[in-house]
């Protein structure tokens, strides 16, 4: 379990780092160019590392639902929505909403047993946890608005 927690923390930090890089590329190249760059480089790196570590077995798949193979297409929506969300909301606010959305949909899919997942009962504690996270985002946003107002007023006073 400890290794799973560590890997999840590393994944979260890498996603945060990637979001920053993606938004910086998007400032210079545009959304679709960013998506092509991110997913194209990801494909090449995955292919090369996969061949290095797994060899020819990389492309031998176990039987699965055909539509699972199209998950890469979902990545187009992920990258596009991420860079646009960050552009419009800022990194911290956008990522907090993204994470809350991920949690909410994970709870939904787990509770309903969709997409081949084992059905996990929905409990009050799951609802409470998700509500606390949403409350944190609201507090963050309200607090950020006041700080932005003060810093804008201070900046105008300097002029």
């Amino acid at each position: 379990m400890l290794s799973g927690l560590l890997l999840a923390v590393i994944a979260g930090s890498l996603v945060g780092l990637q979001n920053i890089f993606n938004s910086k590329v998007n400032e210079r190249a545009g959304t679709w160019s960013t998506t092509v760059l991110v997913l194209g480089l990801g494909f090449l790196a995955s292919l090369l590392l996969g061949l290095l570590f797994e060899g020819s077995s990389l492309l031998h798949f176990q039987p699965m639902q055909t539509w699972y193979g199209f998950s890469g297409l979902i990545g187009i929506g992920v990258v596009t929505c991420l860079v646009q969300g960050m552009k419009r909301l800022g990194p911290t606010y956008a990522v907090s909403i993204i994470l809350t959305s991920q949690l909410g949909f994970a709870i939904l899919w787990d509770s309903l047993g969709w997409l081949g997942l084992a059905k996990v009962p929905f409990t009050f504690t799951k609802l409470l946890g998700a509500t606390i996270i949403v409350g944190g985002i609201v507090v963050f946003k309200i607090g950020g608005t006041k700080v932005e107002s003060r810093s804008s007023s201070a900046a105008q006073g300097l002029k």
Side-chain angles (χ1 to χ4, degrees):
M1 181 162 140
L2 186 58
S3 64
L5 290 171
L6 179 62
L7 289 170
V9 168
I10 292 169
S13 67
L14 291 174
V15 168
L17 185 62
Q18 182 188 26
N19 290 337
I20 293 167
F21 282 29
N22 290 355
S23 68
K24 292 300 181 184
V25 172
N26 186 52
E27 289 174 7
R28 307 284 179 155
T31 301
W32 291 109
S33 297
T34 301
T35 304
V36 169
L37 181 68
V38 168
L39 296 177
L41 286 175
F43 167 76
L44 288 175
S46 296
L47 180 64
L48 293 174
L49 289 169
L51 289 171
L52 178 69
F53 289 106
E54 294 184 20
S56 62
S57 67
L58 173 69
L59 301 176
H60 296 291
F61 302 109
Q62 299 294 320
M64 65 179 166
Q65 296 287 337
T66 304
W67 50 280
Y68 288 154
F70 291 96
S71 64
L73 295 177
I74 296 170
I76 295 169
V78 170
V79 173
T80 302
C81 292
L82 272 169
V83 297
Q84 287 300 309
M86 289 179 68
K87 182 178 180 180
R88 290 177 169 93
L89 300 173
T92 306
Y93 191 43
V95 168
S96 61
I97 291 170
I98 291 161
L99 293 175
T100 303
S101 176
Q102 284 180 307
L103 177 62
F105 279 100
I107 291 170
L108 177 69
W109 293 323
D110 270 350
S111 299
L112 298 173
W114 287 357
L115 305 170
L117 297 172
K119 196 170 185 177
V120 177
F122 183 75
T123 62
F124 175 74
T125 56
K126 289 179 185 171
L127 175 63
L128 182 62
T131 303
I132 289 169
I133 291 172
V134 171
I137 292 170
V138 170
V139 168
F140 174 80
K141 183 58 179 166
I142 290 170
T145 303
K146 291 178 184 175
V147 171
E148 290 169 12
S149 298
R150 279 190 232 131
S151 64
S152 296
S153 299
Q156 289 175 352
L158 295 175
K159 290 183 180 180

